[in-house]
Amino acid sequence: MIDRVIDFWRALDRRDYATILSLVAEDCVWQREVLVSGRAAIGEALSKRPAGLMTRHQITNLRVKSDGDGCSVAFLITTFGVVRSGEEDSPPDCGGPALVADGEMRFSIDGETILITAIGAEIVFLAPQK
């Protein structure tokens, strides 16, 4: 399960939306600024991310919890982000973390198939808006 959590956030940082959609269940729900329900809606929400948005998600303190036909992974997520104009050659100054949150992903397990069914996070720290 931990590898799925890491794969998801790395794909988001690389803007590899095809990988994200391959990791989520058809009826997956993702609590973002608003609740996004279903694989198609997740794909649509991802396509609306600003073209110059560059993010990195640092995932730590992972803990797997099993419960019957599925399981969940709780983790601490620290998010860094900046919107770039596309003309910069050097790494951008993002000014520190944008937020720190307690995250959780739920998974369904059917034989060898493991899919994300729910993604959520509760913000613990939020940086001031620039």
Side-chain angles (χ1 to χ4, degrees):
M1 296 318 122
I2 290 174
D3 59 336
R4 302 296 167 116
V5 173
I6 300 301
D7 290 348
F8 178 91
W9 295 106
R10 288 190 69 214
L12 184 62
D13 290 340
R14 290 188 321 270
R15 304 179 73 86
D16 181 357
Y17 303 147
T19 293
I20 289 174
L21 296 178
S22 76
L23 295 170
V24 300
E26 187 65 40
D27 60 349
C28 180
V29 294
W30 185 1
Q31 181 63 55
R32 296 168 45 101
E33 295 82 22
V34 298
L35 183 66
V36 181
S37 297
R39 184 183 291 146
I42 290 171
E44 183 179 334
L46 291 171
S47 73
K48 293 179 180 175
R49 292 177 80 210
L53 179 62
M54 180 179 179
T55 61
R56 290 299 179 264
H57 294 84
Q58 182 179 23
I59 309 300
T60 59
N61 302 8
L62 293 106
R63 181 172 46 114
V64 177
K65 301 180 283 182
S66 177
D67 55 17
D69 63 342
C71 73
S72 63
V73 178
F75 50 91
L76 181 68
I77 182 169
T78 304
T79 302
F80 300 83
V82 65
V83 177
R84 297 183 65 153
S85 68
E87 300 170 9
E88 300 95 25
D89 290 331
S90 61
D93 177 6
C94 68
L99 65 85
V100 176
D102 290 323
E104 186 166 1
M105 285 186 172
R106 287 219 21 88
F107 296 86
S108 65
I109 304 168
D110 184 11
E112 297 294 315
T113 304
I114 302 169
L115 293 172
I116 301 166
T117 59
I119 308 161
E122 182 176 330
I123 296 174
V124 178
F125 299 110
L126 185 62
Q129 297 296 316
K130 295 179 182 179

